[in-house]
Amino acid sequence: MKKTTDKPRNLPPIRVRKEPPTISEAVAAAQDLADDVEQQVEIAAGLIGLPPDEVRPHVLQAAQALAAKPKLERAPERIISTGSGLRGPRTVIVERRAGRPLVVERRSRPPLDGRR
């Protein structure tokens, strides 16, 4: 039988793989963060690590494609109340009940009887 050691071992270093985003990913993120095209160019260039002059044509192309799509209008929000108008909305109270206590039975030998 092998004897186990309780000494901590040195682990190998953790390898982290760093991948910069693609141009299309950076442009999409920049469009979500800013409305101004020049700000989008700077955001996308900062994410990729390229100069703004190389990113600008991609941002302009994406802005034209976004402008060509018809914008969908959101439906107005509706609030539906389940309570009647006279009583007002109902109140819901959530209570947390304590769980059952954990009972651990110890099974041991029966008590020694002194009669034997």
Side-chain angles (χ1 to χ4, degrees), residues 6-43:
D6 291 339
K7 295 179 185 177
R9 298 180 190 173
N10 290 336
L11 297 175
I14 298 174
R15 297 180 190 167
V16 179
R17 195 167 112 186
K18 183 184 175 195
E19 290 184 23
T22 62
I23 291 180
S24 61
E25 291 172 343
V27 169
Q31 285 179 338
D32 289 339
L33 292 174
D35 292 331
D36 184 35
V37 176
E38 286 303 314
Q39 289 178 349
Q40 291 176 11
V41 169
E42 290 192 22
I43 291 171

Side-chain angles (χ1 to χ4, degrees), residues 27-83:
V27 169
Q31 285 179 338
D32 289 339
L33 292 174
D35 292 331
D36 184 35
V37 176
E38 286 303 314
Q39 289 178 349
Q40 291 176 11
V41 169
E42 290 192 22
I43 291 171
L47 289 173
I48 299 173
L50 293 176
D53 295 335
E54 291 183 28
V55 179
R56 185 171 283 110
H58 298 284
V59 173
L60 294 174
Q61 182 182 11
Q64 289 173 354
L66 186 64
K69 287 184 181 179
K71 291 190 177 185
L72 301 175
E73 292 186 23
R74 291 180 54 186
E77 295 180 8
R78 294 186 298 165
I79 299 174
I80 300 173
S81 175
T82 57

